[in-house]
């Protein structure tokens, strides 16, 4: 049984029950993920002193303005991962299509999808940000295509994030629960600090960007109105609201003390022809796996996020995740409004 103080490598080695021929692979791969996260944690902490703040002056494939740190984080991650010998290719929020591992490096049988820097709008204000990652298997040794990344969230062999905040924390799952590691900067190691993370089924805290309330569809309007009615309303208790502006920050809080995170499809996104804001393969799926592994629920309102069969690399989805009682309630409201 792993104890607080165990290093990430020791923990993963203890937990590894894969067949002899692949034993140690995920430990090595996650070791490289940890290295990338340490490099990014350092850059985020240096901030303006490292010249990483501000806009990059260009857009990504999704039409979003990129920050310098979005691009740097993408490069740092790829640089740290491409020599692992374990990856066949990498897909990222910041790249139009996937990046195949170049032929000068050994190619392996895993695929990595990641959001290099989540919560970009927090970079310049020294707010919390993070990196989200999802690992799946790639059958065979051929170079992958974009289509090889289109796997449902149930096929993830590992998912996690690194939160860059007052402490940097790596939180991950390999399908055996959720574990949190805190970066000890004095020795440069992620050390087990949060064993067996679970999300309480019940909560009185929600996270949604309320500035879009005029665009919300009926289920979200009803759910939030009822929460805000407090002790005098149908929920008969007061609710609190938090919105970090970074999914990593919000999901981390929910893993620590419960809550429900909602980024719904709304009339504004619909009018733009979008299916949601958050991206399935490198935001919703890895966070969904963490939340389910911690005993919570992750849903779009019409189906569990992890059941979605993706059709495109940068696919967007509505997201409702966290404490199961609240997610189930909002899903019920969606069932009552099947046109929304
Ligand atoms: P990213 O910075 O990777 O583009 O992701 C930002 C996401 C997510 O982290 C956050 O919950 C949400 O976008 C915030 O969006 P709004 O600014 O619309 O609230
Ligand atoms: Mn993001
Ligand atoms: Mn991002």
């Amino acid at each position: 049984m792993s104890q607080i103080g165990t290093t990430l490598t020791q923990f993963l080695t203890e937990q590894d029950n894969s067949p002899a021929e692949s034993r140690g692979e995920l430990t090595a791969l996650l070791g490289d993920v940890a290295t990338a996260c340490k490099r990014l944690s350092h850059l985020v902490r240096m901030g303006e002193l490292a010249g990483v703040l501000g806009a990059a002056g260009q857009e990504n494939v999704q039409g979003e303005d990129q920050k310098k740190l979005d691009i740097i984080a993408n490069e740092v991650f790829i640089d740290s991962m491409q020599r692992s010998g374990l990856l066949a290719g990498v897909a990222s929020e910041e790249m139009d299509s996937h990046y195949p591992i170049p032929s000068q490096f050994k190619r392996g049988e895993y695929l990595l999808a990641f959001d290099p820097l989540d919560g970009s709008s927090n970079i310049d204000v020294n707010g919390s940000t993070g990196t989200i990652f999802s690992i799946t298997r790639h059958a065979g040794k051929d170079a992958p295509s974009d289509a090889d990344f289109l796997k449902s969230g149930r096929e993830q062999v590992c998912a996690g994030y690194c939160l860059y905040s007052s402490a940097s924390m790596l939180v991950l799952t390999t399908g055996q629960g959720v574990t949190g590691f805190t970066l000890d900067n004095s020795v440069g190691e992620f050390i087990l600090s949060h064993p067996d993370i679970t999300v309480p089924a019940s909560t009185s805290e929600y996270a949604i960007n309320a500035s879009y309330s005029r665009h919300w569809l009926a289920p979200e309007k009803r759910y939030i109105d009822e929460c805000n009615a407090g002790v005098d309303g149908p929920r008969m208790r007061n609710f609190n609201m938090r919105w970090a502006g970074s999914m990593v920050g919000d999901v981390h809080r929910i893993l620590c003390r419960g809550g429900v995170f909602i980024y719904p499809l709304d009339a504004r996104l619909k009018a733009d022809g979008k299916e949601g804001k958050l991206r399935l393969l490198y935001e919703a799926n890895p966070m969904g796996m963490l939340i389910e592994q911690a005993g919570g629920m992750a849903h779009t309102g019409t189906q569990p996020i992890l059941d979605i069969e993706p059709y495109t690399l940068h696919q967007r989805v509505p997201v409702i995740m966290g404490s199961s009682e609240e997610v189930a309630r909002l899903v019920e409201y969606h069932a009552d409004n099947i046109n929304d």
Side-chain angles (χ1 to χ4, degrees):
M1 189 63 192
S2 291
Q3 298 294 318
I4 288 181
T6 306
T7 66
L8 173 68
T9 310
Q10 289 164 346
F11 172 84
L12 292 168
T13 304
E14 259 175 46
Q15 205 190 47
D16 192 352
N17 52 19
S18 43
E21 62 275 15
S22 59
R23 194 162 303 148
E25 285 182 356
L26 267 188
T27 304
L29 199 50
L30 287 167
D32 286 344
V33 168
T35 301
C37 294
K38 286 182 220 173
R39 290 174 68 184
L40 281 177
S41 171
H42 175 69
L43 283 174
V44 170
R45 269 162 201 284
M46 290 295 286
E48 187 59 10
L49 301 180
V52 296
L53 302 191
Q58 62 186 68
E59 286 185 349
N60 64 16
V61 67
Q62 303 165 65
E64 295 165 341
D65 290 332
Q66 289 174 306
K67 299 280 189 178
K68 278 188 208 160
L69 207 52
D70 287 321
I71 296 172
I72 294 167
N74 192 56
E75 287 166 357
V76 164
F77 230 82
I78 289 179
D79 183 64
S80 303
M81 301 301 301
Q82 65 184 353
R83 293 174 180 80
S84 69
L86 292 162
L87 287 180
V90 173
S92 153
E93 177 188 348
E94 307 303 342
M95 298 186 296
D96 303 10
S97 55
H98 80 283
Y99 172 88
I101 298 302
S103 54
Q104 73 260 37
F105 301 121
K106 235 175 113 188
R107 189 182 289 146
E109 296 184 17
Y110 293 92
L111 300 173
L112 170 76
F114 74 113
D115 176 353
L117 219 285
D118 175 69
S120 305
S121 67
N122 284 353
I123 295 170
D124 296 344
V125 299
N126 203 7
S128 56
T129 53
T131 299
I132 311 174
F133 60 91
S134 161
I135 295 171
T136 52
R137 277 186 194 282
H138 175 56
K141 292 228 181 313
D142 291 343
S145 64
D146 276 0
D148 289 311
F149 286 83
L150 306 181
K151 296 188 163 68
S152 91
R154 303 267 173 229
E155 292 192 56
Q156 295 173 104
V157 293
C158 176
Y161 61 78
C162 186
L163 168 69
Y164 312 114
S165 187
S166 40
S168 289
M169 281 192 67
L170 190 59
V171 176
L172 55 84
T173 180
T174 59
Q176 302 171 66
V178 179
T179 314
F181 302 82
T182 302
L183 181 57
D184 180 343
N185 284 297
S186 65
V187 291
E189 283 280 1
F190 281 104
I191 306 289
L192 178 61
S193 53
H194 294 62
D196 304 321
I197 295 174
T198 52
V199 181
S202 162
T203 181
S204 298
E205 193 162 78
Y206 65 80
I208 191 167
N209 185 336
S211 71
Y212 303 130
S213 60
R214 70 188 183 283
H215 305 297
W216 288 343
L217 305 180
E220 279 72 34
K221 267 196 184 114
R222 175 180 170 196
Y223 177 78
I224 300 295
D225 280 351
E226 289 181 0
C227 291
N228 290 348
V231 284
D232 302 323
R235 303 301 309 274
M236 295 184 293
R237 65 185 200 267
N238 293 329
F239 277 74
N240 187 31
M241 189 276 282
R242 287 286 183 272
W243 184 250
S246 150
M247 187 189 201
V248 172
D250 281 314
V251 169
H252 186 71
R253 186 188 58 256
I254 288 167
L255 287 170
C256 289
R257 69 177 189 205
V260 56
F261 173 88
I262 309 165
Y263 206 119
L265 175 62
D266 62 22
R268 162 193 62 116
L269 293 165
K270 268 190 168 179
D272 281 351
K274 293 180 177 155
E275 296 175 90
K277 168 164 184 195
L278 297 172
R279 280 60 52 110
L280 175 62
L281 292 177
Y282 42 82
E283 291 178 319
N285 268 347
M287 292 310 214
M289 181 176 182
L290 286 167
I291 290 287
E292 280 200 4
Q293 283 290 316
M297 259 179 91
H299 218 272
T300 64
T302 53
Q303 70 180 129
I305 286 171
L306 300 186
D307 287 346
I308 299 172
E309 293 295 339
Y311 64 88
T312 186
L313 205 56
H314 299 290
Q315 185 169 338
R316 297 173 191 266
V317 287
V319 171
I320 307 164
M321 60 171 66
S323 294
S324 55
E325 286 176 11
E326 294 305 306
V327 176
R329 175 180 285 267
L330 183 47
V331 168
E332 258 178 55
Y333 293 0
H334 274 268
D336 292 346
N337 288 269
I338 42 174
N339 294 325
D340 286 329

